[in-house]
Amino acid sequence: FCESSAAFWTEIKIKLGILLQKPDSVGDLVIPYNEKPEKPAKTQKPSLDEALQWRDSLDKLLQNNYGLASFKSFLKSEFSEENLEFWIACEDYKKIKSPAKMAEKAKQIYEEFIQTEAPKEVNIDHFTKDITMKNLVEPSLSSFDMAQKRIHALMEKDSLPRFVRSEFYQELIK
């Protein structure tokens, strides 16, 4: 635990008591989110049958490397990739074993996607945001589950239908 993390969690605990929604509540502790450069997917183009299944299943799309890369490219073209990036960050977070690394990654995800006015703030309701903040007092593998489920549902309802109508997808099923 570094001092900045300890100070961050102390501040979160204090803020939870009053549930302030001010964007500057942890502003002096913001650490830039270091994204790893994207490696081009080394996967084969999916079969027509596989690609057709994506119309009805966001999960099947997300489980396929080619589908995930296509979906991400589509969302970037619409300047709306923050939901997918948040979902991926949550999936990566769930693989962390070390409590110290988990706390560090939780802080990073919170600052990048959850806190008010975050650089890539995802659109979640206040109730979900408050529950997520409470979960971060003692980070666990399920800290972001509710927020991740909300974002998954939003992508399924909104982003997936737009992707299926897009040229990105139409090219795959030709």
Side-chain angles (χ1 to χ4, degrees), residues 130-146:
D130 291 346
I131 294 291
T132 303
M133 283 177 60
K134 286 177 186 169
N135 290 345
L136 293 178
V137 172
E138 290 182 33
S140 73
L141 292 177
S142 60
S143 292
F144 293 102
D145 283 1
M146 181 184 242

Side-chain angles (χ1 to χ4, degrees), residues 9 29 42 53 76 83-84 108 122 130 135 140 142:
W9 294 115
L29 298 171
K42 293 180 183 174
Q53 290 177 22
K76 280 187 176 192
N83 287 340
L84 181 59
Q108 188 180 36
V122 291
D130 291 346
N135 290 345
S140 73
S142 60

Side-chain angles (χ1 to χ4, degrees), residues 1-12:
F1 247 177
C2 66
E3 284 182 33
S4 144
S5 279
F8 170 78
W9 294 115
T10 302
E11 178 125 350
I12 285 289

